Amino acid sequence: MDLYLLVKWVHVLSSTILFGFGAGTAWYLWQAHRTRDPATIASVGRMVVRADWIFTGTSGLVQPASGVYLVLRAGWPPDASWLVAAYGLYALAFACWVPVVGLQIRAQRLAQHAADSGKPLPPEYGRVMRAWFALGWPAFLGLLGVFWLMIAKPALW
């Protein structure tokens, strides 16, 4: 296998991990949140945060690095409209993901504190989760857009 195909394989694999873990961890945290049980939320939240750092974060770094190599090696103009749109959507997803991880950490800690003290979830927990939910959608839709752009490669302007 030549280097280009290896990097392309890594790029596709890491995009799958990025999207899959992003959607999967969001699903599990949301399901834990729906229980309203602080101990469940704290436990699932710990796993979600760890998975986001290990898998989503790592693949999020691999994507632009491998993508730049592929663009240059394949001879695509780096300023092609579909690539510029993909850069923008990827930046949007990343800009949403960074605070989402912080919100997940905050929600997990609030839930852990409630579980440890035997109290219900505090009002701040609800505000944190609303913000988490609101930021998750643009990230999710942005990555869907990037997938479409990578496949269709449309001339947008």
Side-chain angles (χ1 to χ4, degrees):
M1 180 182 299
D2 70 12
L3 183 58
Y4 178 82
L5 288 179
L6 178 63
V7 173
K8 190 172 187 178
W9 178 80
V10 167
H11 190 72
V12 170
L13 180 62
S14 69
S15 71
T16 304
I17 292 168
L18 177 69
F19 189 78
F21 268 87
T25 57
W27 169 260
Y28 283 107
L29 187 59
W30 182 252
Q31 293 307 308
H33 164 75
R34 291 184 59 212
T35 70
R36 305 297 297 166
D37 175 46
T40 299
I41 296 165
S43 177
V44 171
R46 267 189 307 282
M47 289 184 284
V48 162
V49 169
R50 192 174 305 123
D52 261 352
W53 281 118
I54 295 169
F55 298 104
T56 310
T58 302
S59 61
L61 296 174
V62 168
Q63 282 294 283
S66 59
V68 166
Y69 173 84
L70 293 170
V71 166
L72 297 175
R73 177 81 189 277
W76 287 101
D79 62 347
S81 61
W82 63 274
L83 282 170
V84 172
Y87 305 151
L89 289 174
Y90 193 83
L92 170 69
F94 182 77
C96 292
W97 179 77
V98 170
V100 158
V101 173
L103 291 166
Q104 288 172 173
I105 292 168
R106 184 72 185 135
Q108 188 278 328
R109 288 179 179 164
L110 289 166
Q112 188 65 61
H113 180 64
D116 291 345
S117 64
K119 294 182 180 177
L121 295 164
E124 182 186 357
Y125 172 83
R127 289 189 295 274
V128 166
M129 287 304 291
R130 281 190 295 280
W132 174 84
F133 188 81
L135 285 169
W137 283 106
F140 178 78
L141 295 174
L143 289 179
L144 283 179
V146 170
F147 272 113
W148 181 79
L149 289 164
M150 293 294 115
I151 293 167
K153 297 175 181 53
L156 300 173
W157 55 80

